[in-house]
Amino acid sequence: MNKVNKIFQKHMMEMILLAICIVIAITAPGFFTVSNILGILRSAAFKGVIAFGMTMVIICGEIDLSISSTVAISGIIAGLVGRRLEAAGILPMETGIVLGIIVSVAICGLIGAFNGFLRTKFNIPTFIITLAMMNVLYGAAALLSGGFPLTGFPSWYNTIGAGNIAGIPVPAILLIIVFIIVHIIMTYTTFGRSVYAAGGNPEAARLSGVNVKKVKILVMVAVQALAAMGGIMCSSQVMSAAHNFGKGWEMDVIASVIIGGGSLNGGVGDVKGTFVGLIFLGVLLNGMTLMNVSEYVQYIVRGGLILMAVLINTIQLSRVSESK
């Protein structure tokens, strides 16, 4: 019974997810179709690639609220760089957008480095830093775009966010690739272990030889670079870029990590759990949409879900500490 109890506690969210899938499948017959399942994966991918980066940040004991504005400005930067290269006669938009994407991800990575620098140099909470940066980037995105959607992207650009390879959505493929990479980093590398150490007990990690400041900066860089990637995917899906893209995404991204077992206290969580949290939210929202549940009710359910996940995690962590 103890073994069964431990298995149930360890995989509680997966079991709840399975139960929800069964209920939705009964009430909404179109749920268990291949197209709908692939649609859930496609929808989850845009926020999912960011959630894997946020997992690293939260495990490290930090948070980043500015990723929603990064989503918006990344597509705008990519488009503007492509346009300027074409206008200067250096590269046509067809190929210039590739350099635009690279520049966009690099700039967003530097923004993450700046956030990390402020955190480690002046000990300002990342909640405050990234809250301020969210507004800065939102304003910058509006200024760069003139307050209007940026268009004129080459036709192939649409493949990133809306294409298919062998019937599988490209965003879903990118989601799996990022998941595998981050999972390997967090599970099998010294850096991954350092992230857990820096989040669990920064002082003990420092005394053990871990460069805590460097680790914190690198995870902030990672989440911003992945937020840029999510923004490129988002803009390519609709073939435009606007300053209001990604609005409110930070809520779902953080919720995915928390539902998957992450703790805002740091030192706890894993990428596999975040993946479960992503699918959990995706299935829930998709099911409620299929059942024509009011959008306002969906907000209530999502909020209640986050609270429930935090409560479950708190109880599990307290039981673990009591057993030691």
Side-chain angles (χ1 to χ4, degrees):
M1 287 299 294
N2 287 334
K3 287 183 179 180
V4 172
N5 190 37
K6 287 181 180 178
I7 292 172
F8 179 76
Q9 288 183 9
K10 186 177 180 180
H11 300 285
M12 187 179 294
M13 295 310 298
E14 290 92 329
M15 292 179 182
I16 295 173
L17 174 59
L18 179 60
I20 290 175
C21 287
I22 293 171
V23 171
I24 295 175
I26 293 172
T27 54
F31 175 74
F32 265 132
T33 60
V34 174
S35 60
N36 189 60
I37 298 299
L38 291 176
I40 292 173
L41 283 175
R42 183 193 294 274
S43 299
F46 301 99
K47 298 173 184 175
V49 294
I50 309 172
F52 296 142
M54 187 66 76
T55 303
M56 301 170 71
V57 171
I58 288 178
I59 290 173
C60 203
E62 306 299 338
I63 199 164
D64 192 335
L65 301 177
S66 66
I67 54 100
S68 55
S69 295
T70 303
V71 168
I73 202 169
S74 58
I76 292 170
I77 292 173
L80 287 177
V81 170
R83 278 187 178 184
R84 297 293 170 84
L85 290 172
E86 185 176 49
I90 300 173
L91 287 172
M93 188 63 166
E94 287 284 334
T95 51
I97 192 64
V98 175
L99 185 57
I101 292 171
I102 295 171
V103 170
S104 177
V105 173
I107 289 175
C108 292
L110 288 174
I111 292 169
F114 179 69
N115 292 341
F117 169 75
L118 292 178
R119 172 69 178 114
T120 56
K121 182 68 175 178
F122 302 103
N123 202 29
I124 305 171
T126 45
F127 178 89
I128 302 299
I129 295 169
T130 57
L131 182 64
M133 190 58 68
M134 176 174 65
N135 289 282
V136 170
L137 295 178
Y138 178 80
L143 284 173
L144 288 172
S145 64
F148 294 96
L150 192 71
T151 57
F153 292 92
S155 57
W156 71 262
Y157 186 67
N158 186 241
T159 306
I160 301 173
N164 293 280
I165 296 177
I168 302 173
V170 171
I173 295 172
L174 294 174
L175 177 72
I176 299 300
I177 291 172
V178 174
F179 166 74
I180 292 171
I181 293 172
V182 177
H183 174 66
I184 290 172
I185 290 172
M186 293 300 292
T187 308
Y188 302 107
T189 69
T190 302
F191 176 74
R193 290 189 289 273
S194 298
V195 173
Y196 278 99
N201 192 327
E203 184 59 23
R206 186 185 67 80
L207 294 174
S208 300
V210 175
N211 190 332
V212 175
K213 291 183 178 181
K214 180 180 178 181
V215 169
K216 288 183 180 290
I217 291 174
L218 287 176
V219 296
M220 298 302 288
V221 170
V223 73
Q224 282 291 316
L226 288 172
M229 180 178 173
I232 297 298
M233 291 163 62
C234 179
S235 71
S236 69
Q237 185 185 38
V238 294
M239 292 294 280
S240 67
H243 67 281
N244 58 353
F245 280 7
K247 202 73 173 173
W249 277 27
E250 70 280 356
M251 181 68 164
D252 286 341
V253 168
I254 295 170
S256 299
V257 180
I258 301 304
I259 291 169
S263 171
L264 293 176
N265 293 323
V268 178
D270 63 74
V271 186
K272 290 186 293 184
T274 298
F275 196 91
V276 172
L278 278 171
I279 301 304
F280 198 113
L281 278 178
V283 165
L284 194 68
L285 296 178
N286 179 263
M288 288 191 292
T289 302
L290 290 175
M291 292 185 288
N292 294 316
V293 176
S294 166
E295 182 182 358
Y296 307 119
V297 175
Q298 291 187 28
Y299 276 105
I300 295 172
V301 172
R302 286 160 68 184
L305 177 65
I306 296 169
L307 184 60
M308 181 191 73
V310 172
L311 182 60
I312 290 173
N313 290 341
T314 302
I315 293 172
Q316 288 179 332
L317 288 173
S318 64
R319 286 178 178 175
V320 170
S321 61
E322 287 173 2
S323 63
K324 290 182 178 179

